[in-house]
Amino acid sequence: KELRPAWRGHLAAMEVLLDDIIDTHIHLSEHYKGGLQNAWHPNEAEGFRRDWSLEDLRSSASKGRFRISKAIFVECFNQTALDEAQWVLKIMESDSFLVGLVAQICVQKGAEEVNAFLENMKKQYGGVLPKGLKGARFVMMAWENQADDACLDPKFLEGLEALGKAGLLWEFACEPRVAPYLPSCIAKFPEMTFIIDHLAHNGNKGGEMEKWGPAIDALGKLPNVYMKMGATEQWNVDNPGDYIDRAISAFGFDRILYESNWFVNDAMGDTYDKTAQLLYDGCKRAGATAEDLRRVFHDNACKVYQL
């Protein structure tokens, strides 16, 4: 029997657009069940105040048109940073869904801090860094140095050098006011891989297109920089598509990474699909082929995180 038009539309809306997606940016917490205490999300709005597990992520993502097969954990202030890293690596041993860890390392405090963290990790893994450790991050809004050009601080540059020597990448999580200074910092480390989280848009301080756009263009000219496209719930802009279009133009399909920023998106009331759909639509506006979409939502992550 032929389906009525309304049902045909409903079924079309539920068709999977992309599968085998690697989500390059998820967080986990067991704060409320007695796991590692978290110094961040229990202090946020009511929607954040619960535990967030891989099963919750799978459930959230399974309801939409974008199906994930793997994910990268990015530090989120579970205490201590070393305990967080070891906890996530243990999860990875038993659940192949989680394929990489970006640990919280105080790179802004210099080489001594970086090397101390890495040596402590090695002690737990037979004198070598675990394969699952891919890089480091420390949210810049939590640094002691809040200058717009804090990424050029000599102590931070010293820490980056130590991180690079260990074969690890660095992810910038910053407000857009910092973006104009990032190219000068990154250009000092041409052999090291850098990722910019959330289009350098944790909030919109300094995120006006005429300020932010040229900085993104400059970053796009550096071949060792990749741009994570997601966390739109944090951008505080009325026209996220314009920002996505500018970043796609600057980086092309070979250096864009899909990220959901789960569980933040969920806690703030967005469906899992919202950011994925915005990025998918932006790629299609830019003329993306099926192969291009595969790169953005899967292959680029394999390359950057050496999966």
Side-chain angles (χ1 to χ4, degrees), residues 79-93:
Q79 302 298 299
T80 64
L82 186 62
D83 289 334
E84 178 183 62
Q86 292 172 342
W87 170 56
V88 172
L89 288 165
K90 187 174 181 180
I91 294 174
M92 291 171 61
E93 291 174 1

Side-chain angles (χ1 to χ4, degrees), residues 10-276:
H10 176 72
L11 289 175
M14 294 305 294
E15 289 175 1
V16 174
L17 282 179
L18 292 175
D19 60 9
D20 198 21
I21 293 169
I22 300 176
D23 187 338
T24 64
H25 204 103
I26 67 115
H27 306 301
L28 300 169
S29 173
E30 293 183 342
H31 175 92
Y32 291 95
K33 68 184 291 186
L36 298 179
Q37 293 298 285
N38 190 284
W40 158 56
H41 74 88
N43 301 312
E44 297 291 336
E46 183 64 30
F48 285 82
R49 298 175 197 165
R50 46 164 281 202
D51 288 332
W52 302 90
S53 69
L54 280 181
E55 287 309 311
D56 295 329
L57 170 59
R58 287 187 177 103
S59 175
S60 179
S62 69
K63 299 181 175 105
R65 306 176 72 189
F66 296 86
R67 302 296 170 84
I68 55 175
S69 59
K70 298 179 178 63
I72 303 290
F73 174 91
V74 178
E75 62 86 13
C76 64
F77 289 95
N78 292 296
Q79 302 298 299
T80 64
L82 186 62
D83 289 334
E84 178 183 62
Q86 292 172 342
W87 170 56
V88 172
L89 288 165
K90 187 174 181 180
I91 294 174
M92 291 171 61
E93 291 174 1
S94 60
D95 195 328
S96 60
F97 179 82
L98 203 59
V99 292
L101 159 69
V102 177
Q104 185 181 85
I105 304 178
C106 297
V107 175
Q108 72 274 18
K109 294 184 178 180
E112 184 175 352
E113 189 81 15
V114 172
N115 291 330
F117 184 95
L118 297 180
E119 285 304 315
N120 280 326
M121 289 291 290
K122 289 177 182 178
K123 289 177 184 177
Q124 306 297 321
Y125 295 91
V128 297
L129 290 175
K131 184 179 179 181
L133 177 63
K134 306 300 183 180
R137 183 183 87 147
F138 199 105
V139 175
M140 291 188 74
M141 291 78 75
W143 291 17
E144 292 181 5
N145 184 353
Q146 284 298 300
D148 291 354
D149 63 351
C151 62
L152 297 174
D153 184 280
K155 207 70 174 174
F156 176 59
L157 299 178
E158 174 191 292
L160 280 180
E161 184 176 9
L163 192 71
K165 286 180 178 178
L168 299 174
L169 59 78
W170 173 257
E171 299 202 10
F172 278 105
C174 63
E175 293 173 321
R177 63 185 173 86
V178 175
Y181 301 93
L182 295 181
S184 295
C185 169
I186 292 170
K188 298 177 185 297
F189 304 95
E191 303 303 318
M192 188 174 171
T193 297
F194 290 86
I195 297 172
I196 314 298
D197 293 351
H198 315 339
L199 272 74
H201 239 101
N202 283 83
N204 197 34
K205 191 174 182 180
E208 301 83 358
M209 185 65 76
E210 61 271 19
K211 296 180 181 178
W212 173 88
I216 296 305
D217 295 342
L219 285 165
K221 293 175 182 176
L222 298 171
N224 58 327
V225 182
Y226 292 76
M227 182 66 73
K228 281 189 180 179
M229 307 277 268
T232 54
E233 70 281 349
Q234 293 184 225
W235 294 3
N236 296 332
V237 300
D238 296 326
N239 53 337
D242 292 347
Y243 288 80
I244 289 171
D245 293 347
R246 183 68 174 259
I248 291 174
S249 177
F251 282 85
F253 299 123
D254 290 330
R255 290 189 291 128
I256 294 169
L257 300 165
Y258 165 66
E259 58 164 344
S260 70
N261 198 36
W262 191 90
F263 56 85
V264 177
N265 60 337
D266 198 323
M268 294 180 69
D270 285 353
T271 63
Y272 182 86
D273 271 12
K274 183 176 179 180
T275 288

